[in-house]
Amino acid sequence: MKKVILCSVVFLALGAARVFAQTQEPGSKPVKVGNQWQMPKDVLLRAKTFADKLQKSLQLDEPTTKKVFNSYMGNVKSVDEIRMGKGSEKEKKDALLVNQEHFDQTLKGILSAAQFSKYLKSKT
C-alpha cells in the first residue's frame, strides 16, 4: 500500500513539473519585421535596471541617468542585430566586443572621468 501511494505521489509530482515547465514563457528574441526590430518587452526593464544600477553606484543625477538609459536603449538594436545575424560564433563575439567598446566610449562622453573610471572597475 505504501509503495502505491509513493508511486502515485512521484507520478503526480512529475506531471505537475511537466505542466509547469510548459506554461513558462520562453526567452524573448528580437524579431525583424521589414527594416524594424521589435524588441522584447524586457528591454525596457533591462535598460531601467542598468541605469538605476549606475545611478546608485556612481551617484548620478537624473539627467545623466536618463542619458545612460537612452544610450543603453540605442545600443540594444545593434547588439540584437549581431546576435541574430549570420556568422560564426567567433565573428559574433568579436563584433560584440567592438560594440561594447563603442558603448563604453558613449558612456565616457556622458559620465565624468571619475565616474567612468569607477564604471570600468565595476565591470571587471
Side-chain angles (χ1 to χ4, degrees), residues 9 18 25 34 39 48 51-52 58 88 93 97-98 100 112 115 117 124:
V9 169
R18 188 172 183 195
E25 277 188 36
M39 295 183 292
K48 178 95 171 98
D52 289 345
L58 304 177
S88 70
K93 184 177 180 181
L97 287 173
V98 170
Q100 181 64 45
S112 70
Q115 289 171 333
S117 174
T124 57

Side-chain angles (χ1 to χ4, degrees), residues 5-17:
I5 293 173
L6 180 61
C7 288
S8 298
V9 169
V10 170
F11 180 72
L12 290 174
L14 290 175

Side-chain angles (χ1 to χ4, degrees), residues 17-71:
R18 188 172 183 195
V19 168
F20 178 71
Q22 291 178 355
T23 58
Q24 291 180 339
E25 277 188 36
S28 299
K29 291 187 177 182
V31 177
K32 189 170 185 180
V33 178
N35 291 332
Q36 299 280 327
W37 280 91
Q38 295 179 348
M39 295 183 292
K41 296 174 186 174
D42 71 329
V43 171
L44 291 174
L45 296 174
R46 287 187 291 150
K48 178 95 171 98
T49 302
F50 179 79
D52 289 345
K53 179 182 168 190
L54 286 186
Q55 182 181 28
K56 290 175 185 171
S57 66
L58 304 177
Q59 292 81 35
L60 301 179
D61 58 358
E62 200 59 40
T64 306
T65 303
K66 184 69 175 170
K67 289 178 185 176
V68 168
F69 176 85
N70 290 335
S71 297

Side-chain angles (χ1 to χ4, degrees), residues 60-124:
L60 301 179
D61 58 358
E62 200 59 40
T64 306
T65 303
K66 184 69 175 170
K67 289 178 185 176
V68 168
F69 176 85
N70 290 335
S71 297
Y72 187 92
M73 289 298 294
N75 189 50
V76 168
K77 180 180 176 187
S78 57
V79 170
D80 287 346
E81 286 175 343
I82 292 168
R83 286 187 178 157
M84 300 303 291
K86 296 179 181 175
S88 70
E89 290 300 315
K90 183 175 179 354
E91 291 172 341
K92 289 180 183 182
K93 184 177 180 181
D94 292 342
L96 286 171
L97 287 173
V98 170
N99 184 287
Q100 181 64 45
E101 290 173 5
H102 177 70
F103 180 69
D104 288 345
Q105 290 303 313
T106 302
L107 287 182
K108 187 175 185 178
I110 296 171
L111 304 173
S112 70
Q115 289 171 333
F116 185 70
S117 174
K118 193 172 179 180
Y119 164 72
L120 289 178
K121 288 179 185 176
S122 70
K123 276 181 44 173
T124 57

